[in-house]
Amino acid sequence: MNFFEEEIAKLSRRVKKIGENPIPGKLKSNKLLYEVELELRQQQLEAWHRNRPFVEPGLFQPLLQALGFEIGDYIMAADRTSHADQHFDTVRTMGFPDSLCDRTIVQLAMLNEQHMPPPVLVVMHNNACEAIKLSANALGRLSNSQMYAVDVPVNAEENPEETLAYVTAQLHELVRFVEARFPGHKFDEALFEELLEADRVATECCRAVYEARKAVPCPVEGRDAFRELRLPSWFSNWRPVVQYFREWRDEMVERAKKGISSMQEEKLRFLWAVSGPFYFDPFPLLAERGVAVPFFHYGMAGRMWGELYPNYGEEHMFGRILTPMEEMARFVMYNSWAGLGHRWLNDTLRVARDLKVNGIVNFIQVGCTAISGLNTLLAENSERELGIPTLNIEGRMLDATFFDQSEFETRMDVFIDSCLDRKAAV
Amino acid sequence: MEERLKALIQGGLAANRAKWALDWKAQGKPVVGVLCSHVPEEVIYAAGMLPWRVLGTRDENVASALVYREARSCMCCTHVLESVLRGDLDFLDGAVATNRDQDLVRMYDVWQITGHTPFYGFLHVPYSDGRLAEEYFSREMRKLAGVLEAHGGAPVTPESLCHAIDVHNRMRTLLRAAYELRKRDEPALSGAEALGLALAATAMPKDLFNSELEALLPYLEQRKTPVTGSGPRLLVSSELMDDPSYLEVIEGTGAAVVMDDLDIASRYFWEPVKTDEGDAYDALARRYLYGPAGPRMWWWHRMADQVVDWVRDFRADGVVLMTQIYCRPSEMWTPFLMSRLKEAGIPAISTVREYTLTNVGQLRTRMEAFVETLAGVS
Ligand code: SF4
């Protein structure tokens, strides 16, 4: 089975189960979420069978969908694979380094093993990390696709207007590039704007949910906080996805208002950062000890969840309404990982302060180029500026062979104990 | 003359580089640490400062740096940070970094945050090509001039910048002339000597380097390196390889390293700045983007073609890829380069190395085996 077929099987089971036997206390909106994801995978599988053109879109899903491509979510597919061991073997056979961040190399193996369709276009970007940029380059080479590189300045804060103009001009050039090289692909501006609007509504919902996360006891379960966000423009049928975001928001806000939580007593709350083990659920262990994890902080979180950077249509950053293409450019200017180090450090502390957490679990993904070198600084700064500790814990998101569960649990226990002691002392 | 050549080569080695910076400072002039081959040294020179390429400590103990850096990250950056934290680079008046890769950015973050140097400059170097990238990079260079001027540098005028370009182009021409002499059946320089020469250019005041190499060129024209054996001719490709002893190990097997694809050697000087192309900053931007580039850039196909061209020009029998462990751009493009070389019918071997020379025995064994294979082929 290829990746889409496996996802279809998995999601079909979930949809069936949740329909027949909903678990009390779980979010009702999950049903719609599974349904839209199932539809996405079915539609992607069909598109592959019909030889439709897939694109690795970088972070420009609305633009690439409006240019007539099927959105291939290669990296996020890697996050969900159930064949990590096999893929790592393939990675080694292909000559790629197995010590680089898991998802970025596993996507190459998945392509090689035909778990995913080859893209006809790869839009590279440097707006998250070196690993994603390099891996996109390799993806393009392996699939013999057309390639376009979008360059986003690392030091965007120094001159936002210049950066905005520079990135916007590249996106216009990308449109011309596609129209010149892919006959029949014409930029559908109305669709582009519609997709941006869908994403705007979704991220507005995310903001409301972010506010709800501040409630004590925490209305969000750790596993849900850890869930990867997929905006509507990543789906070819995006309208029900917008509906999902609305239902989910309503549920979360209501839970916060009514004080509904799966936790009896919230003793502590942690911010979880960077990554985590996808083959092991650490959250029950935390919940058992009364630790809530209201938020997962990663590179795009500050923009997608809207708590740090402006949403589409907001004027305050540039003092004017931006054009749709400028909005697309602004979207990628503020990945917390993609700047100089102080961006990630400051953004992480801002979220930690905002959510009033007692500690940060900084899951250092092996081979993560974005945070390598910032972890000690993060621990020092969280202590100095917020008076809270950071647990720097190294691990891999997909390679389970790297993981020592008992050591992980011991370190987590010790960290929880020390945070409880600190709280008691205050 | 041989002694003079040796002295010039020695001047570039890690142990001897600080001397040039300290001499310069003794004249009351500032020294700026350069952290990447995409930093336009001409702008620093035009500001009356010495552009001095920073290398990492040769000490294998990098415990201070590992407090901040992950073990599985670029070892060159870790060794540079170790030098910074130990105070070995306290003589620098400023440091200029780029986003060559994210590892360098993160090393620069720690350097800057721990505050060991009076001033810092940072240039965003696009990894894309085309007019937009060139224009953006040109503006970054202008901003760098402003940073240098604000920290005690002389005003960077069109005249001073043009002069700086001339001096640096002269350095490039001279080094390239020296490299041309490696095309001969009996190369004038060994691979290790050639790397030493290029390293000297990255540490010495350029005028002094130029006058030394200019004086030595007639001697080089009739010289045959005593180091190189009669075995196969090789091209060595790597990033951040600033230790000629790696090449000595290869040449110790009887092979001749006749060309390199190194950011700190051939790629550092290969292409001149084309001053006939209008504005000086624009010309610099094009030179430092394209000329020739490394795997951080997106156009891997052109880089691989460059290697193939060099193999043919220098009549190399094979290629040795020496990827520095955890240098992510190199690691990721290695499979692509290997397949391109295979396609071109060029024998190649891919090896992984540390920053400083270790595991000599293992490296020698692999090289001997490769050299034997090549001897069997030729
Ligand atoms: S974990 Fe780090 S290296 Fe991996 S994709 Fe995320 S930011 Fe990039």
Side-chain angles (χ1 to χ4, degrees), chain A residues 130 141 162 337 370 375-376, chain B residues 67 70 102 106 139 298:
Chain A
E130 191 74 27
R141 309 287 160 188
E162 185 186 354
W337 279 329
N375 302 309
T376 301
Chain B
V67 169
E70 306 316 308
Q102 211 164 17
R106 294 296 172 247
R139 288 195 294 275
W298 87 267

Side-chain angles (χ1 to χ4, degrees), chain B residues 59-125:
Chain B
D59 192 339
E60 278 179 44
N61 178 0
V62 287
S64 313
L66 289 176
V67 169
Y68 292 97
R69 291 180 56 76
E70 306 316 308
R72 293 181 194 81
S73 57
C74 166
M75 293 311 289
C76 175
C77 290
T78 299
H79 279 252
V80 170
L81 186 63
E82 182 68 28
S83 300
V84 172
L85 297 175
R86 285 178 184 188
D88 296 350
L89 302 174
D90 281 357
F91 59 81
L92 292 177
D93 296 285
V96 180
T98 68
N99 57 325
R100 178 190 67 216
D101 59 10
Q102 211 164 17
D103 238 323
L104 176 61
V105 176
R106 294 296 172 247
M107 191 276 288
Y108 169 75
D109 286 330
V110 180
W111 185 340
Q112 200 189 17
I113 289 168
T114 53
H116 281 259
T117 306
F119 78 86
Y120 301 91
F122 183 87
L123 289 121
H124 173 82
V125 185

Side-chain angles (χ1 to χ4, degrees), chain A residues 215-254:
Chain A
V216 179
C218 182
V220 189
E221 280 187 37
R223 204 66 200 164
D224 287 334
F226 196 58
R227 184 175 280 166
E228 284 177 312
L229 191 63
R230 223 179 260 272
L231 293 176
S233 66
W234 304 23
F235 294 74
S236 49
N237 181 15
W238 67 92
R239 289 186 189 91
V241 186
V242 178
Q243 183 54 28
Y244 158 71
F245 272 91
R246 289 195 173 113
E247 285 185 20
W248 170 63
R249 173 202 56 198
D250 293 346
E251 260 189 302
M252 296 303 297
V253 169
E254 191 187 321

Side-chain angles (χ1 to χ4, degrees), chain A residues 99 124-125 128-130 133 137 141 150-151 153-155 162 337 339 341 369-370 372-376 394, chain B residues 67-68 70 72-73 101-102 106 109-110 124 126-128 132 136 139-140 143 296 298 300-301 328 331 335:
Chain A
S99 64
M124 295 173 65
H125 69 90
C129 59
E130 191 74 27
K133 181 189 108 179
N137 203 341
R141 309 287 160 188
V150 178
D151 180 54
V154 173
N155 45 356
E162 185 186 354
W337 279 329
T369 56
S372 169
L374 295 179
N375 302 309
T376 301
E394 195 184 41
Chain B
V67 169
Y68 292 97
E70 306 316 308
R72 293 181 194 81
S73 57
D101 59 10
Q102 211 164 17
R106 294 296 172 247
D109 286 330
V110 180
H124 173 82
Y127 77 104
S128 52
L132 293 170
Y136 188 89
R139 288 195 294 275
E140 285 288 281
K143 283 185 222 154
R296 76 173 293 278
W298 87 267
W300 288 356
H301 49 295
R328 301 312 188 176
E331 286 181 334

Side-chain angles (χ1 to χ4, degrees), chain A residues 101 103-104 128-129 131-132 274-275 337 365 367-370 397:
Chain A
C101 159
R103 62 202 307 237
T104 61
C129 59
I132 286 185
V274 183
S275 178
W337 279 329
Q365 162 63 41
C368 172
T369 56
M397 58 178 90

Side-chain angles (χ1 to χ4, degrees), chain B residues 123-233:
Chain B
L123 289 121
H124 173 82
V125 185
Y127 77 104
S128 52
D129 54 352
R131 184 181 56 82
L132 293 170
E134 291 165 18
E135 287 172 359
Y136 188 89
F137 194 29
S138 170
R139 288 195 294 275
E140 285 288 281
M141 291 187 180
R142 280 170 218 271
K143 283 185 222 154
L144 174 65
V147 169
L148 299 173
E149 287 168 5
H151 291 92
V156 180
T157 62
E159 293 74 31
S160 67
L161 192 55
C162 280
H163 173 64
I165 291 173
D166 286 345
V167 170
H168 283 72
N169 274 349
R170 182 77 195 133
M171 174 267 292
R172 294 181 179 110
T173 306
L174 290 166
L175 276 168
R176 197 156 163 175
Y179 264 50
E180 287 293 317
L181 301 172
R182 301 170 70 193
K183 287 182 179 168
R184 297 187 320 213
D185 286 345
E186 296 185 330
L189 290 162
S190 70
E193 289 169 336
L195 174 55
L197 264 190
L199 284 168
T202 67
M204 289 172 69
K206 290 292 180 295
D207 298 275
L208 180 57
F209 176 82
N210 286 353
S211 63
E212 280 303 290
L213 187 52
E214 194 147 21
L216 284 163
L217 264 185
Y219 169 68
L220 283 175
E221 272 161 23
Q222 45 80 34
R223 181 181 190 254
K224 170 192 172 321
T225 177
V227 177
T228 299
S230 55
R233 298 166 66 89

